[in-house]
Amino acid sequence: MIHVPEDMTVTVDASVALDALQDMLAKSRQWLPLDPPDSSMPLRAILEHNESGPHRIGYGTVRDYVIGLKVTLADGRVVKSGGQVVKNVAGYDLQKLFIGSRGTLGTIREVTFKLRPLPELAQFIQQHCVSLEAAGMLIEKIVESELTPIVFDLHRLPERGLQPGPTSDTKLVSLPLTIVLGFDGTKEDVDWQLALAAKLGFQQPATLDYDREFRTKAGSLQKFSVLPSKQIESLRSLGNEPFVARAGNGIIYHRAYIPMPPQNPPIQLLRRTKDAFDPTHLLPELPA
Amino acid sequence: MASVLTPAQQSELSQQLRALLGPDAVVDRPDELLVYECDAYTLEKNPPNAVVLPRSTEQISQVVKLCAKLNVPIIPRGAGTSLSGSLLAVTGGVVISLARMNRVLSVDVRNRRALVEAGCVNAWITNAVKSHGLLYAPDPSSQPACTIGGNVAMNSGGPHTLKYGVTTDHVLGFEMVLPDGEVVWLGTTPDGGEDVDGYDLRGAAIGCEGMFGVITRVLVRLIRAPQGYKTLLGVFETVDDASQTVSDIIAAGIVPGAMEMMDQLITQAIEAAYKFGFPLDAGAVLIVELDGLAAGLERQAQRVIEICRQNKAREVRVAKSEQERADLWKCRKRAFGAIGRLSPNFLTQDGVVPRSKLPEIMRFIRCCSEKYGLRIPNVFHAGDGNIHPLILYDERDPEQVREAVQAGNDILEKCIALGGSVTGEHGIGVEKMDLMSKQFTKDDLDAMQMLRRVFDPDHRCNPHKMFPGSKRCSDFAPRKQAAA
């Protein structure tokens, strides 16, 4: 691992776990601003699945932090793209192609990230809402306010320790709806935002444990990605199912059996990409 | 040599383009084509066979299909501000100008997005949304002229990329006409969610230097304008002191919106041109702009002032008004324009080094300047380690041209040796093709060609760029001499 704190970059083997990397970076008060539900996963898995967590609204996804990659192609050749510097447009941006490719185009060996300083202070707060409509209205108020949250989630989860029984699940009239906000930066910035959030009713301290607890549970996790202004509509279609939503991004994680809203990806180009990088289809196929 | 077409083919091409677009959308008189013989990289020139000025994606698709049928290269073009020759019609072809597709189509304030045509000028986007307290973040110095389509093609940067990232971080999706005429949308659609199934072809195509197709419409991300700014100007005796200040600010965990350095030579030229009040005897000036919530700015500014003083800053000024801040940025962004006072021609490079290597590369540039007897002022994105040495020369003196090219090459090779890159934002184009093999292995370049084949299997879209050993203009002599 090569970490140059004054450059705010790190080059690391893709088999290293994210939490091990974060521990090392924290010694220099830096971090990779990424908080997927399972931080014990190796970086390779996080990159190949483009994993992210509640900090996504404030810091973006891992695509925004990868500045160089070393990849083993299907034919065994090891190639690099990008480099070690934070700004670089030499050659095509192959990093973007491999991130989220689920190992179907090659195997990520080594990665170089740009980093961020650990904030002086980070605080998380929450507020409960009586209905989706109320949550929707509060979300709009937050969007229109001068708040710049680094976490902006809405979730509806069974109370902790209160597992819904097999029969009662759908009969639960309503699980509690909660909006979670996070602020970080200088102490002055955070205090100012907490005061503003308090005026919107956010008083109760929160943790982000719900994201890991919900998303790493057994059973297949579904995802909707919708226009943020339309997410309440999509959430309504879930009935009383539990969910965690990135309210700032319009990303909804749930386990209901509801078809994803159809997308219209450029199928031919996607196929040609697979064929160009893996002509004999040695590597896994991209799931439909 | 203007083209690879015979006169009969040229006349057929012109006739068919006119039939598709009408006579007012086709430029093919030799004197008029001279406008399109190069971009802002002027060492190599060659006119295209024709230029078209379409008004719709559909028209572009028709032109592209025609060019595919006639096997003529296509060269997408925005405002022509590229600094690397990425718009050069090396073997002729049809330039597809986006100049008439320049509208902001819609602004979605709630979801912080805007849909614009590719020929829309960068600065127009922010102008269209600032009444809502929003802005489009990437701000290349050419933003009053350069187009968003060109920005996407080149993955453009700008001073504020230090905190906010480059074009790829702010473009959600775009429409592209592939080299066979097919129209595709890559990435997030205007009314769709931000996550898209399949490979990130949006990200892979941003920075393709116009080699994957013609970008026609772009969906950009808007961000909230910062609540406040603190813009500081540190005055230093030496470039080394200013460079060290940059490293120390980063090490202190402060991420300014921008951190820009100007050395003495460029500061003098800017002062002569724009009269801002820069000190003429300082070794370097450093612009540090903090932005964000107003609450925390004052203490951060104090910390930056402290760090400047620790590094022997003679003086630290703070912009007292929005007007003063705007004036300062205007000077910085028009720095290249002030060079006309120093020299008839200049060659600019935009190599990148790890931030901690800035003092070393600046010393190397001084050595180059002495070695070749050429003046090399510097104005650059210090926070990103992205240098912009401006090598001054007179094109009437072939020896100076040769030395300027050689000095540029030396500097870029040094950037590679220091663990950096030959380009941070200007792109490879034709200018830096031959340096690619110094930064990447043959296998690395092969992988890039795999991606190119996905979009352009026939190599007809903006050909002869980026890859080492590509064909050059037949009259291009200086580099051959320099390489000898």
Side-chain angles (χ1 to χ4, degrees), chain A residues 2-21:
Chain A
I2 305 167
H3 176 215
V4 189
E6 58 270 41
D7 292 339
M8 276 212 293
T9 58
V10 67
T11 300
V12 56
D13 192 284
S15 62
V16 170
L18 176 64
D19 47 15
L21 175 68

Side-chain angles (χ1 to χ4, degrees), chain B residues 2-249:
Chain B
S3 94
V4 290
L5 300 185
T6 63
Q9 287 169 323
Q10 169 80 49
S11 125
E12 189 196 347
L13 175 69
S14 292
Q15 198 187 338
Q16 296 209 28
L17 288 173
R18 279 197 171 73
L20 282 179
L21 304 177
D24 73 328
V26 180
V27 176
D28 58 358
R29 266 175 38 199
D31 55 334
E32 290 176 332
L33 289 174
L34 290 179
V35 175
Y36 299 90
E37 68 176 359
C38 68
D39 49 36
Y41 169 76
T42 56
L43 273 172
E44 292 173 66
K45 292 171 184 168
N46 195 50
N49 296 94
V51 178
V52 292
L53 297 149
R55 291 187 183 278
S56 68
T57 302
E58 178 53 32
Q59 284 190 338
I60 291 179
S61 173
Q62 287 171 352
V63 168
V64 169
K65 281 177 183 159
L66 172 66
C67 291
K69 197 175 82 184
L70 302 175
N71 195 26
V72 175
I74 52 172
I75 299 133
R77 182 175 174 118
T81 56
S82 170
L83 289 159
S84 57
S86 53
L87 300 171
L88 187 64
V90 179
T91 54
V94 174
V95 166
I96 299 174
S97 167
L98 277 297
R100 288 181 182 167
M101 291 173 62
N102 60 6
R103 292 171 300 169
V104 174
L105 295 172
S106 62
V107 175
D108 179 347
V109 174
R110 163 60 182 89
N111 295 297
R112 295 189 188 160
R113 298 171 172 194
L115 181 65
V116 304
E117 288 180 315
C120 179
V121 169
N122 173 303
W124 296 357
I125 303 177
T126 292
N127 287 345
V129 302
K130 67 181 169 200
S131 61
H132 301 288
L134 300 174
L135 61 81
Y136 174 67
D139 61 337
S141 293
S142 55
Q143 74 184 137
C146 66
T147 64
I148 192 71
N151 291 174
V152 174
M154 305 305 283
N155 195 13
S156 304
H160 288 84
T161 61
L162 174 59
K163 179 170 181 176
Y164 293 101
V166 293
T167 301
T168 190
D169 303 310
H170 297 274
V171 165
L172 294 162
F174 51 88
E175 181 184 69
M176 190 185 236
V177 179
L178 298 179
D180 63 3
E182 190 194 346
V183 180
V184 292
W185 187 281
L186 304 181
T188 303
T189 54
D191 53 2
E194 60 184 60
D195 278 1
V196 175
D197 294 342
Y199 305 125
D200 183 15
L201 294 175
R202 169 210 69 89
I206 293 176
C208 70
E209 303 202 2
M211 298 168 79
F212 290 179
V214 187
I215 296 159
T216 45
R217 288 188 297 161
V218 183
L219 182 68
V220 300
R221 183 200 305 279
L222 304 171
I223 63 167
R224 178 194 290 284
Q227 209 179 49
Y229 293 98
K230 277 276 179 195
T231 310
L232 301 103
L233 184 75
V235 181
F236 295 85
E237 300 299 335
T238 68
V239 170
D240 274 11
D241 289 345
S243 303
Q244 191 57 47
T245 304
V246 171
S247 281
D248 291 352
I249 290 171

Side-chain angles (χ1 to χ4, degrees), chain A residues 93-161:
Chain A
D93 190 350
L94 288 176
Q95 299 96 283
K96 294 287 190 297
L97 196 59
F98 289 105
I99 298 167
S101 70
R102 301 178 182 227
T104 63
L105 302 176
T107 307
I108 296 171
R109 294 293 167 200
E110 189 183 271
V111 54
T112 304
F113 294 110
K114 61 177 174 181
L115 304 170
R116 288 268 149 176
L118 273 174
E120 194 174 290
L121 184 67
Q123 297 272 297
F124 306 102
I125 48 171
Q126 63 184 25
Q127 189 189 352
H128 300 300
C129 302
V130 294
S131 64
L132 271 179
E133 287 65 35
M137 281 163 67
L138 187 52
I139 286 169
E140 293 310 305
K141 276 189 189 162
I142 294 162
V143 169
E144 288 160 18
S145 77
E146 292 200 84
L147 294 171
T148 54
I150 45 104
V151 171
F152 185 2
D153 277 2
L154 168 66
H155 64 67
R156 182 171 61 198
L157 300 169
E159 302 269 16
R160 247 183 255 152

Side-chain angles (χ1 to χ4, degrees), chain A residues 48-64:
Chain A
E48 288 180 348
H49 291 265
N50 194 15
E51 290 281 357
S52 61
H55 280 76
R56 174 174 178 160
I57 187 66
Y59 287 95
T61 63
V62 73
R63 278 181 186 139
D64 303 326

Side-chain angles (χ1 to χ4, degrees), chain A:
Chain A
M1 181 152 28
I2 305 167
H3 176 215
V4 189
E6 58 270 41
D7 292 339
M8 276 212 293
T9 58
V10 67
T11 300
V12 56
D13 192 284
S15 62
V16 170
L18 176 64
D19 47 15
L21 175 68
Q22 302 285 34
D23 288 348
M24 206 274 304
L25 298 174
K27 290 176 193 159
S28 309
R29 290 207 52 78
Q30 294 182 353
W31 72 314
L32 176 64
L34 189 68
D35 59 343
D38 182 1
S39 63
S40 69
M41 288 203 316
L43 295 166
R44 174 178 302 123
I46 290 169
L47 290 165
E48 288 180 348
H49 291 265
N50 194 15
E51 290 281 357
S52 61
H55 280 76
R56 174 174 178 160
I57 187 66
Y59 287 95
T61 63
V62 73
R63 278 181 186 139
D64 303 326
Y65 293 90
V66 173
I67 56 174
L69 271 189
K70 199 177 271 182
V71 175
T72 306
L73 297 178
D75 64 12
R77 287 187 291 174
V78 178
V79 299
K80 72 166 199 296
S81 65
Q84 321 286 318
V85 284
V86 296
K87 208 163 154 193
N88 185 358
V89 293
Y92 304 138
D93 190 350
L94 288 176
Q95 299 96 283
K96 294 287 190 297
L97 196 59
F98 289 105
I99 298 167
S101 70
R102 301 178 182 227
T104 63
L105 302 176
T107 307
I108 296 171
R109 294 293 167 200
E110 189 183 271
V111 54
T112 304
F113 294 110
K114 61 177 174 181
L115 304 170
R116 288 268 149 176
L118 273 174
E120 194 174 290
L121 184 67
Q123 297 272 297
F124 306 102
I125 48 171
Q126 63 184 25
Q127 189 189 352
H128 300 300
C129 302
V130 294
S131 64
L132 271 179
E133 287 65 35
M137 281 163 67
L138 187 52
I139 286 169
E140 293 310 305
K141 276 189 189 162
I142 294 162
V143 169
E144 288 160 18
S145 77
E146 292 200 84
L147 294 171
T148 54
I150 45 104
V151 171
F152 185 2
D153 277 2
L154 168 66
H155 64 67
R156 182 171 61 198
L157 300 169
E159 302 269 16
R160 247 183 255 152
L162 189 104
Q163 295 297 325
T167 52
S168 64
D169 201 352
T170 50
K171 289 185 186 149
L172 274 178
V173 180
S174 59
L175 294 168
L177 279 157
T178 307
I179 294 177
V180 181
L181 294 177
F183 307 112
D184 74 4
T186 62
K187 184 173 182 307
E188 291 90 335
D189 284 350
V190 174
D191 286 348
W192 185 84
Q193 297 208 71
L194 286 175
L196 188 55
K199 287 188 196 153
L200 296 173
F202 287 83
Q203 307 272 6
Q204 197 184 348
T207 70
L208 306 181
D209 296 343
Y210 59 86
D211 194 55
R212 187 187 63 246
E213 285 169 12
F214 180 69
R215 289 171 67 201
T216 58
K217 249 189 340 200
S220 106
L221 190 70
Q222 307 287 318
K223 183 177 83 174
F224 285 168
S225 175
V226 298
L227 208 55
S229 61
K230 291 187 176 161
Q231 64 188 334
I232 295 297
E233 210 174 293
S234 298
L235 288 169
R236 215 169 270 132
S237 74
L238 293 179
N240 277 325
E241 292 287 334
F243 67 84
V244 169
R246 304 272 104 86
N249 303 89
I251 308 282
I252 301 162
Y253 297 101
H254 65 89
R255 289 195 160 76
Y257 294 97
I258 295 171
M260 295 267 279
Q263 290 188 348
N264 191 16
I267 297 287
Q268 289 306 319
L269 270 187
L270 293 173
R271 285 198 185 129
R272 262 146 55 188
T273 307
K274 172 70 177 166
D275 291 344
F277 283 84
D278 182 18
T280 58
H281 289 234
L282 275 173
L283 299 170
E285 297 298 318
L286 190 66

